[in-house]
């Protein structure tokens, strides 16, 4: 029996993102993020009902400010007390685990998909999903970009505007493009 594109994506294999089943999952996510963006803060609470139901897991006190965007939602796991500021985007084609007490500044972006390097295969929709793991009590400054396959250790700091292309050890501070350790 042939694997579905979702199965390939979940297995970390090359898959075609131009797929009816994946389109349907993205449509569900689009409805959830629309609700997150359109409800008043009093109605929405920390996370809107549709978005909370969509996410893989949410710890107590996790909060997502609007606007927010995600590709699928079901691959996002938030620890207790996580705070995602306004404008954050998580393209969760692979699991994205964000540890307890971690905070994102505005417009932080997490990109799990990596498109094929061959132009013809890229145009055909071929991509691979790489997970992102962010430890506890991490601070990610506004406008930072975290690429797929990256792990960021507990208590680390990622400076505003940084592009994280490699793992960041616990307790480290990284800045720049590409992000490098400082101090």
């Amino acid at each position: 029996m042939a694997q579905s594109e979702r199965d390939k994506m979940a297995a970390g294999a090359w898959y075609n993102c131009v797929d009816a089943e994946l389109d349907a999952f993205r449509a569900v996510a689009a409805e959830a993020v629309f609700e997150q963006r359109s409800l008043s803060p009093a109605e929405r609470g920390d996370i809107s009902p549709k978005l909370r139901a969509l996410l893989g897991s949410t710890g107590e006190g996790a909060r997502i400010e609007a606007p927010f965007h995600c590709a699928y939602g079901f691959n996002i796991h938030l620890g207790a007390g996580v705070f995602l500021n306004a404008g954050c985007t998580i393209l969760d084609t692979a699991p994205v685990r964000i540890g307890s007490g971690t905070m994102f500044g505005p417009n932080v972006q997490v990109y799990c998909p990596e498109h094929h390097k061959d132009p013809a295969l890229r145009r055909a929709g071929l991509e691979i999903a790489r997970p992102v793991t962010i430890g506890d009590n991490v601070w990610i400054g506004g406008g930072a970009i975290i690429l797929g396959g990256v792990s960021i250790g507990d208590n680390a700091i990622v400076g505003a505007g940084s592009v994280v292309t490699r793992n960041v050890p616990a307790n480290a501070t990284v800045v720049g493009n590409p992000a490098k350790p400082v101090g």
Side-chain angles (χ1 to χ4, degrees), residues 85-136:
N85 211 328
C88 289
T89 295
I90 301 176
L91 300 184
D92 61 311
T93 56
V96 176
R97 299 184 187 287
I98 302 171
S100 297
T102 289
M103 297 169 47
F104 282 20
N107 300 309
V108 169
Q109 301 166 60
V110 178
Y111 300 149
C112 294
E114 179 182 317
H115 300 279
H116 206 285
K117 290 176 178 51
D118 180 293
L121 295 175
R122 187 171 51 247
R123 278 191 308 275
L126 230 57
E127 64 184 29
I128 194 165
R130 303 201 186 280
V132 170
T133 303
I134 300 170
D136 294 339

Side-chain angles (χ1 to χ4, degrees), residues 1-172:
M1 183 168 151
Q3 277 189 313
S4 72
E5 298 307 309
R6 181 181 183 191
D7 291 340
K8 292 176 195 175
M9 181 177 78
W14 289 99
Y15 65 95
N16 188 329
C17 67
V18 183
D19 174 73
E21 180 185 26
L22 294 178
D23 286 345
F25 285 120
R26 287 189 294 267
V28 170
E31 287 295 322
V33 299
F34 176 78
E35 181 186 79
Q36 175 75 11
R37 178 174 60 248
S38 61
L39 287 177
S40 75
E43 290 178 278
R44 180 180 66 232
D46 289 338
I47 302 172
S48 73
K50 282 184 181 178
L51 185 56
R52 183 176 297 278
L54 181 67
L55 296 176
S57 61
T58 55
E60 184 177 338
R63 181 175 181 87
I64 299 174
E65 291 293 335
F68 170 77
H69 179 77
C70 64
Y72 298 101
F74 54 71
N75 280 321
I76 299 172
H77 303 274
L78 306 176
V82 165
F83 177 74
L84 305 183
N85 211 328
C88 289
T89 295
I90 301 176
L91 300 184
D92 61 311
T93 56
V96 176
R97 299 184 187 287
I98 302 171
S100 297
T102 289
M103 297 169 47
F104 282 20
N107 300 309
V108 169
Q109 301 166 60
V110 178
Y111 300 149
C112 294
E114 179 182 317
H115 300 279
H116 206 285
K117 290 176 178 51
D118 180 293
L121 295 175
R122 187 171 51 247
R123 278 191 308 275
L126 230 57
E127 64 184 29
I128 194 165
R130 303 201 186 280
V132 170
T133 303
I134 300 170
D136 294 339
N137 302 308
V138 173
W139 169 247
I140 300 181
I145 298 172
I146 314 299
L147 296 184
V150 166
S151 292
I152 299 174
D154 294 345
N155 309 309
I157 297 171
V158 175
S162 296
V163 178
V164 182
T165 61
R166 296 190 175 153
N167 291 345
V168 176
N171 304 302

